Each structure stands twice: as structure tokens, then as C-alpha cells.
């Protein structure tokens, strides 16, 4: 049976660390859905449509990746997409507690969905979207952290 994994997040913006997880996932699953959460609680810098456009452009060359937006319970969205797996990245021990909580809640809500954790390459363990936004706000070099398209979008946000 073809396996679909859903990789949810705010992606404000998508970073090399996210890309690293997605590329790894494309080798393990038939279909990988990058699910961009509206997440108004986080007051994202980029609007949902901008985050979707950036993720789509960055992941254009990955044939089994789809980028979709959602504003629902993740488990409902995963069911609607016929996904069997929720995929999350674990960067450091500090991620573990909240990730385990989320995985357990998601299992309560949808027992048929399994959460898989993948570790990104070591060079991305320290990376987060908010750190990228902060470095960008001081005109720091972002070339190691994000795709050039994302770096350009961050620069435009500053103007
Ligand atoms: N590389 C780089 N950064 C990474 C990363 C990686 N591999 N993995 C996570 N991050 C960063 C993100 O960029 C983000 O950075 P920021 O907070 O500094 O902006 C941070 O880690 C946390 O991001 P993420 O893991 O994407 O969590 P989130 O809080 O953005 O998203 C949702 C959480 C959207 C998946 C979750 O709230 C959700 O499922 N919402 C839908 C509603 C729902 O079902 N709620 C019940 C959940 S139990």
C-alpha cells in the first residue's frame, strides 16, 4: 500500500533544516505532504499564501512532495489526505517533551495515525525559523540557512 506522510509546521519561513527533513522523507514515503499551518497564534511574518508559495518554489524539484495549507486539527487534515504518518523533526533534547506531548495527543485523536521522528543533519540542529528571521532583520548572511528565494523574500519584508 502506498504510504503518505504529512509534515506539518508553520514554515515561517521554510529553512534548510526543514528541507533536510523533507528530502529524507521523500526516500522513505511514496508521497510527502508539507502541511503549512495557518497558525494565527504565532502571528507569522509571512502570510499563509506567502509561506505556501515559498515552500512550493523551494521544493519544486521534489517529485513526490505536495505543499498544502491547512487551518484545522492536524489529525482531521491528515485523515482527509489519507495520510498514515505524521512526520516531525527532532533537533535536540529540548524538542522532545513538546513533541512527545503532541504525538500522544494526536494518537488520542486519531489512533490509526503514527508519528515518525527524523533527525536533521547536525549542521541544522540549531536552526529555527525565528532565528533566521532575527538574523535577516539585522542583514546577517542567511545563505547557509535558507534557499536564495527565501533570503530574497526576507530582505523584501524588511523594506
Ligand atoms: N529545521 C529548522 N527549524 C525547525 C525544524 C527543522 N528541521 N523543525 C522545527 N523547526 C523550527 C521551526 O522553524 C519553528 O521555529 P520558530 O518557532 O522559531 O518559528 C520551531 O522549530 C517549531 O516549529 P514547528 O515544529 O513547525 O512547530 P510549529 O509550532 O510551527 O507547528 C503545528 C506546530 C502547526 C504542527 C501544530 O501546532 C499543529 O499541528 N497545529 C494544528 C492544530 C492541531 O492539530 N493542534 C493540536 C496538536 S496536538
Amino acid at each position: 500500500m502506498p504510504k503518505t506522510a504529512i509534515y506539518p509546521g508553520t514554515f515561517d519561513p521554510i529553512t534548510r533544516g526543514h528541507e533536510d527533513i523533507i528530502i529524507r522523507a521523500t526516500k522513505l514515503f511514496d508521497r510527502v505532504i508539507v502541511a503549512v499551518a495557518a497558525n494565527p497564534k504565532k502571528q507569522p511574518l509571512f502570510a499563509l499564501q506567502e509561506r505556501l508559495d515559498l515552500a512550493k518554489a523551494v521544493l519544486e524539484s521534489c517529485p513526490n512532495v505536495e505543499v498544502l495549507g491547512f487551518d484545522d486539527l492536524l489529525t482531521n487534515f491528515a485523515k482527509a489526505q489519507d495520510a498514515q504518518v505524521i512526520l516531525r523533526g527532532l533537533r535536540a533534547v529540548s524538542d522532545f517533551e513538546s513533541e512527545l506531548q503532541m504525538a500522544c495527543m494526536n494518537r488520542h485523536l486519531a489512533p490509526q495515525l503514527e508519528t515518525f521522528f527524523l533527525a536533521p543533519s547536525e549542521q541544522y540542529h540549531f536552526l529555527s525559523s525565528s532565528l533566521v528571521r532575527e538574523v535577516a532583520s539585522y542583514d546577517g548572511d542567511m545563505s547557509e540557512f535558507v534557499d536564495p528565494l527565501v533570503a530574497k523574500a526576507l530582505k523584501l519584508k524588511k523594506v
Side-chain angles (χ1 to χ4, degrees):
M1 191 177 92
K3 290 274 182 274
T4 298
I6 198 153
Y7 180 47
T10 310
F11 301 103
D12 185 37
I14 186 164
T15 68
R16 294 285 193 208
H18 295 125
E19 286 176 57
D20 181 279
I21 297 282
I22 294 160
I23 305 286
R24 288 172 196 284
T26 58
K27 295 170 189 154
L28 298 170
F29 300 97
D30 302 292
R31 181 173 166 234
V32 177
I33 298 174
V34 175
V36 182
N39 218 350
K41 268 192 294 181
K42 269 198 159 178
Q43 298 189 306
L45 172 68
F46 291 98
L48 177 60
Q49 192 57 52
E50 292 176 308
R51 285 178 276 138
L52 283 166
D53 291 345
L54 282 174
K56 278 181 193 164
V58 167
L59 300 168
E60 203 181 11
S61 60
C62 304
N64 55 340
V65 173
E66 269 173 65
V67 179
L68 299 173
F70 77 108
D71 190 7
D72 194 354
L73 265 184
L74 175 62
T75 47
N76 289 347
F77 186 66
K79 275 186 233 168
Q81 294 299 323
D82 284 329
Q84 295 81 28
V85 167
I86 294 172
L87 194 65
R88 296 289 289 167
L90 270 186
R91 291 162 301 171
V93 178
S94 52
D95 281 343
F96 182 75
E97 206 168 312
S98 60
E99 289 300 332
L100 186 65
Q101 245 184 333
M102 257 205 289
C104 291
M105 174 57 88
N106 284 330
R107 179 174 283 166
H108 268 279
L109 296 169
Q112 75 284 7
L113 272 169
E114 289 295 347
T115 298
F116 278 37
F117 295 106
L118 289 180
S121 301
E122 285 156 41
Q123 80 232 56
Y124 301 128
H125 277 196
F126 64 92
L127 208 52
S128 74
S129 297
S130 51
L131 276 182
V132 163
R133 293 194 302 272
E134 186 169 336
V135 172
S137 74
Y138 291 101
D139 281 330
D141 180 10
M142 287 171 289
S143 53
E144 275 182 66
F145 312 139
V146 295
D147 185 279
L149 286 170
V150 176
K152 195 172 160 199
L154 280 161
K155 278 210 174 100
L156 287 173
K157 274 282 169 199
K158 251 201 92 187
V159 181

